[in-house]
Amino acid sequence: MSNNDLHGGQIRRIVIVGGGTAGWMTAAPLAQRLARHPTQPCEVILVESPEIGTIGVGEATLPTIRVYNEALGLDNADFIAKTQASFKLGIEFKDWGHIGNRFFHAFGDFGPPLAGFAAHQHWLRLAQSFNNMPDIENWSMPSVMARHGKFVPPNEETPGMTDAYSYGFHFDASLYARYLRDYAVTRGVERIEGMIVDVEQHAESGFVTAVKLRDGRRVEGDLFIDCSGFRGLLIEGTLKAGYEDWSEYLPCNSALAVPCASVEQLTPFTRSTAREAGWLWRIPLQHRTGNGYVYSNGFTSDEKARRVLLDGLDGAALDEPRQLRFVTGRRRKSWVKNVVAIGLSAGFIEPLESTSINLIETAVGKLLELFPERDCNPALANEFNRVMGLRYESVRDFIVLHYKLTKRDDSDFWRYCADMAIPDSLRHQIELFRETGRVAIVDRAGFAEPSFVAMMMGLGVVPKRYDPLVERIDIRAVHGHFAELRGMIAQAVTQMPDHGAYVAAQAAAGAAPNHKLMEA
């Protein structure tokens, strides 16, 4: 790169460092948008080493993954067949808040707004007016579907009262990365296999100009995307972006992961079960079930955590548990000079709400929105860092909420969580909801009001008051509306197919001969 190269002009070559989920999720839309542009093509190169393993062991997602897949033009049935996917309506939480507690964080609301007010405000009024008011989850379509193991997609063209829900997926992360790799390579991405041993920088600007491989090859580029995982080869190893440690809020620093044989009905939800020093995940795929234990090694031993994980499996373990270590937090800047960090190289927040892939989607989308010229104008980097910083912090607060609102005092870990300091932003959100039933949304692109309602009420925070303006509506009409909607939901769910049967039908369609990816 010469001095003249630093004064604007089109990006001619993008180098993605690292494969895995983050690398190929980045490569696929860049290939679609840039690699074969008729007048201004841009080379996209991905460098990965088979010597470096990837973290993904089975992933659960948010509904936003559907937007990402649809933007690439992926065929849904083909995707389900190739990645061993199942559908996800939300997360079942067990023993969170207190032992014996069970609630559901669903991808949907608690019914449509009534007279302009959120459904939970009316429910709070009814709960204070009538004895034995049924749980609010009875007005959550996806919660009732999950409880009965049913699934069909909502009618999104002409939605009715019982279509107010969304869904994500569970899939094998390694298969998804391979699926996107095939998509990207078909559309012009060059894959280079090799171990990076050195990074070259421009003498004056500090921009990264090339990465050098062990065999002596040099891979030059104008823009580098760091998908190298926790080590942050470029963003931290070369450019020293710095790391903001959030361990005081999120004390878990270890995980064990293991797949097991599927023995139960294929459930349309992820399960999170709180344990003595953390929580267990259960992610049902077509061919196996993914399991893990996220914990703090300051409150339990690795060997004890291993026993807890293996004792909680549904079926026979298919491998030895894999050990992971992490420090929760984020890079102080995800975009420095001509390097953009995406995925684990940008930060890590434990997978309690399946946000890792969503953060990749957000970063890739924002990079395309703010795509630079070769000089990588700092104003673009500043905006990218502002948006991603807000997103990481809002996700952090939502996850911390799960721990802070506990009433458990059966272990040192949970006593620490109950007593720990929390960010002021989260403290405000909790106090506002507890006192008034209102929800403060800090990041409009993040978790919406129904998610906060589900989590806070599920963890035992029942607001002392509700919006006084709902009292202007005839309570008999409100009661009738709620009774009718509950009946409609129950009837609709009864008529739905079992989740496992629906997945099998979709997978069979995707595996049919000559079934190909749709051209974007």
Side-chain angles (χ1 to χ4, degrees):
M1 182 182 288
S2 69
N3 287 332
N4 290 333
D5 290 333
L6 299 178
H7 297 292
Q10 292 288 327
I11 295 283
R12 298 166 299 189
R13 178 182 284 187
I14 301 169
V15 178
I16 302 169
V17 173
T21 308
W24 290 110
M25 282 190 73
T26 301
L30 290 178
Q32 180 196 43
R33 300 281 190 91
L34 303 174
R36 291 181 176 173
H37 191 279
T39 59
Q40 295 179 326
C42 175
E43 290 183 83
V44 181
I45 299 171
L46 187 144
V47 182
E48 63 180 341
S49 170
E51 298 177 41
I52 299 175
T54 57
I55 297 298
V57 289
E59 295 282 359
T61 67
L62 296 175
T64 52
I65 188 66
R66 293 164 51 213
V67 178
Y68 175 88
N69 284 355
E70 288 166 8
L72 294 179
L74 302 183
D75 178 78
N76 210 40
D78 188 61
F79 156 76
I80 290 166
K82 297 287 179 55
T83 65
Q84 295 291 318
S86 66
F87 294 90
K88 177 184 173 183
L89 291 165
I91 305 173
E92 180 186 57
F93 287 90
K94 296 180 67 176
D95 295 333
W96 285 84
H98 61 84
I99 293 177
N101 188 25
R102 178 261 169 218
F103 66 94
F104 200 74
H105 172 203
F107 297 147
D109 56 27
F110 300 97
L114 185 59
F117 299 97
H120 78 274
Q121 292 286 355
H122 297 287
W123 183 91
L124 290 170
R125 181 189 180 196
L126 293 174
Q128 291 187 20
S129 303
F130 297 94
N131 293 327
N132 302 316
M133 183 69 182
D135 189 279
I136 195 171
E137 284 187 6
N138 289 284
W139 286 273
S140 165
M141 183 71 178
S143 295
V144 178
M145 291 168 64
R147 188 185 308 155
H148 293 280
K150 301 295 190 72
F151 182 81
V152 290
N155 183 339
E156 295 177 329
E157 293 185 4
T158 55
M161 293 278 280
T162 57
D163 292 303
Y165 65 96
S166 191
Y167 62 91
F169 295 102
H170 309 109
F171 54 62
D172 185 308
S174 61
L175 293 179
Y176 186 57
R178 192 179 307 162
Y179 188 66
L180 294 180
R181 181 189 70 189
D182 293 345
Y183 176 101
V185 170
T186 299
R187 287 158 178 78
V189 172
E190 180 184 357
R191 177 180 177 267
I192 294 178
E193 195 171 287
M195 175 70 77
I196 295 173
V197 295
D198 195 17
V199 179
E200 299 178 8
Q201 293 176 267
H202 189 275
E204 297 176 13
S205 69
F207 276 37
V208 171
T209 55
V211 293
K212 187 174 182 180
L213 308 185
R214 180 186 290 161
D215 61 9
R217 286 177 294 170
R218 294 174 67 256
V219 182
E220 297 183 347
D222 301 318
L223 177 68
F224 288 79
I225 302 177
D226 189 342
C227 298
S228 64
F230 287 133
R231 61 182 180 153
L233 177 67
L234 302 181
I235 196 71
E236 191 63 45
T238 300
L239 297 179
K240 312 298 181 188
Y243 195 77
E244 193 170 308
D245 186 336
W246 292 336
S247 298
E248 64 177 309
Y249 305 131
L250 294 166
C252 290
N253 60 3
S254 305
L256 287 164
V258 67
C260 78
S262 301
V263 296
E264 290 188 352
Q265 178 186 19
L266 188 64
T267 54
F269 56 86
T270 304
R271 178 177 294 138
S272 171
T273 304
R275 296 303 302 262
E276 177 185 346
W279 58 278
L280 297 171
W281 80 68
R282 179 184 180 278
I283 299 175
L285 309 179
Q286 293 177 46
H287 62 317
R288 61 170 172 78
T289 299
N291 308 273
Y293 186 17
V294 176
Y295 63 96
S296 170
N297 65 1
F299 292 94
T300 191
S301 67
D302 293 336
E303 180 54 36
K304 187 172 182 180
R306 184 179 186 276
R307 291 198 303 271
V308 169
L309 172 60
L310 294 176
D311 288 347
L313 299 182
D314 292 336
L318 300 178
D319 204 345
E320 283 296 309
R322 179 182 176 189
Q323 180 78 67
L324 306 171
R325 302 286 190 204
F326 54 84
V327 177
T328 303
R330 68 172 178 89
R331 300 291 169 201
R332 296 189 185 281
K333 293 182 179 180
S334 296
W335 183 339
V336 180
K337 299 185 185 296
N338 67 332
V339 171
V340 181
I342 293 178
L344 296 177
S345 60
F348 180 77
I349 301 175
E350 61 182 76
L352 186 51
E353 285 285 352
S354 309
T355 51
S356 294
I357 283 179
N358 173 260
L359 288 166
I360 296 171
E361 298 162 13
T362 303
V364 174
K366 188 55 61 173
L367 174 60
L368 284 168
E369 182 183 323
L370 300 172
F371 197 75
E373 294 182 298
R374 288 202 300 273
D375 61 358
C376 288
N377 192 305
L380 297 173
N382 290 342
E383 176 61 7
F384 183 90
N385 290 328
R386 182 192 69 81
V387 170
M388 294 308 300
L390 177 62
R391 174 57 55 85
Y392 271 92
E393 288 172 4
S394 67
V395 170
R396 174 202 66 192
D397 287 3
F398 191 64
I399 301 302
V400 173
L401 178 152
H402 294 53
Y403 291 99
K404 180 62 179 178
L405 294 181
T406 187
K407 296 181 179 66
R408 291 186 60 159
D409 61 358
D410 55 295
S411 71
D412 289 340
F413 174 82
W414 290 109
R415 286 189 288 272
Y416 171 87
C417 292
D419 294 338
M420 70 182 176
I422 60 175
D424 290 340
S425 49
L426 175 59
R427 185 177 303 282
H428 168 68
Q429 288 175 304
I430 293 172
E431 290 178 355
L432 181 68
F433 187 74
R434 179 181 284 127
E435 294 297 324
T436 73
R438 271 77 160 202
V439 176
I441 301 297
V442 176
D443 180 6
R444 290 289 167 185
F447 288 102
E449 181 176 85
S451 292
F452 283 91
V453 172
M455 287 309 308
M456 287 202 261
M457 292 189 66
L459 290 167
V461 179
V462 179
K464 299 175 183 177
R465 301 175 182 86
Y466 50 82
D467 189 329
L469 293 180
V470 301
E471 293 186 346
R472 299 182 177 213
I473 306 166
D474 186 338
I475 195 168
R476 292 170 298 179
V478 175
H479 190 273
H481 165 82
F482 268 69
E484 180 183 11
L485 180 57
R486 184 185 179 193
M488 291 172 62
I489 290 173
Q491 182 179 8
V493 172
T494 299
Q495 298 171 353
M496 291 179 178
D498 289 338
H499 173 239
Y502 188 85
V503 171
Q506 292 293 301
N514 299 320
H515 203 88
K516 297 180 180 180
L517 289 174
M518 294 170 60
E519 288 297 327

